[in-house]
Amino acid sequence: VYDWFHLEGDGAGPLLNAWGFSDECLVIRPTEPEAVKRLFTQIIMAYQGRRPEDAFRIIAWLYETASVCQPELATAIQPNNDVAWLTEQACAMMQALSHTRIGVEEIAQALHVSRSTLTRAFRSSGRTTPLQMLLDIRIQRACELLTNSHQKTLTIARGCGFRDDKYFIRAFRRHTGKTPGQYRKDTSSTGAASGLP
């Protein structure tokens, strides 16, 4: 039985090489065929769902596929011990997915490292923890929505990845010293006083 698939984009070449494909080797037999089948089933289901947070899970599963096809080659395509690379990729994911409920564990999984490795990378680069960074990004997004929209607090909370409005209000107050309602009132009066819309 053969499974055929097509990859394109900047990362396709390194992935295919890591799996063991080349111009001379167009068909491979994975060392763990059942694991590859499971991974491709997950990838296909996630791709069909088309949720934003699944893009990073798909990337993680593609790299995992490399490790079960050609374990000795998989590490060559992913600089997961590079502190700058890890923190940059994690922050990019956090920014892109701040409107979802994605957590640090899922971000670490997408980068193919443990949560503790990701935390050490953040600390080594002089940043706060990944959890605090994700919270900061979500609060920043909430501030923008409170300033520039008329959405209700619950809608903003959910649109910034918080599980409920009570947790959101507590986190927002700890971060800014104000409730979301106070923050919105203060920013709207400041905008009116300065002539801003």
Side-chain angles (χ1 to χ4, degrees):
V1 177
Y2 293 92
D3 289 308
W4 299 96
F5 56 92
H6 173 79
L7 290 178
E8 56 186 32
D10 294 341
L15 272 173
L16 291 171
N17 290 336
W19 292 341
F21 290 104
S22 68
D23 290 340
E24 295 78 34
C25 181
L26 301 177
V27 176
I28 63 166
R29 180 184 294 273
T31 55
E32 299 179 44
E34 287 305 310
V36 172
K37 188 174 181 179
R38 174 185 54 80
L39 286 162
F40 271 103
T41 301
Q42 291 174 313
I43 289 166
I44 290 165
M45 290 177 64
Y47 185 76
Q48 289 171 343
R50 300 290 179 112
R51 296 181 307 171
E53 61 267 33
D54 285 337
F56 295 106
R57 290 190 185 103
I58 289 170
I59 292 169
W61 290 328
L62 287 170
Y63 282 119
E64 189 176 346
T65 305
S67 71
V68 296
C69 287
Q70 298 285 332
E72 68 280 2
L73 296 175
T75 55
I77 59 167
Q78 192 174 19
N80 57 18
N81 291 322
D82 184 324
V83 167
W85 183 87
L86 268 179
T87 54
E88 180 183 316
Q89 293 299 310
C91 289
M93 287 184 197
M94 291 174 188
Q95 289 285 355
L97 300 172
S98 62
H99 62 289
T100 73
R101 295 273 305 275
I102 196 166
V104 174
E105 194 70 42
E106 293 163 303
I107 290 169
Q109 179 188 1
L111 293 170
H112 217 54
V113 296
S114 68
R115 181 174 180 152
S116 59
T117 297
L118 186 60
T119 299
R120 282 195 302 274
F122 267 70
R123 289 189 175 142
S124 296
S125 66
R127 297 175 187 261
T128 183
T129 65
L131 183 61
Q132 187 60 51
M133 177 66 75
L134 183 56
L135 181 60
D136 292 348
I137 288 169
R138 286 183 166 144
I139 295 292
Q140 180 183 8
R141 177 179 167 80
C143 288
E144 291 168 5
L145 290 172
L146 287 165
T147 302
N148 301 314
S149 79
H150 298 290
Q151 295 178 30
K152 294 181 178 177
T153 301
L154 179 58
T155 304
I156 289 174
R158 289 183 176 163
C160 294
F162 291 94
R163 63 179 177 265
D164 60 57
D165 56 338
K166 290 178 182 175
Y167 175 67
F168 167 62
I169 290 167
R170 284 197 306 273
F172 192 91
R173 183 184 286 149
R174 275 197 310 270
H175 194 88
T176 66
K178 301 176 182 181
T179 66
Q182 291 168 333
Y183 183 89
R184 173 173 269 163
K185 184 178 177 184
D186 290 349
T187 55
S188 66
S189 62
T190 303
S194 63
L196 297 172

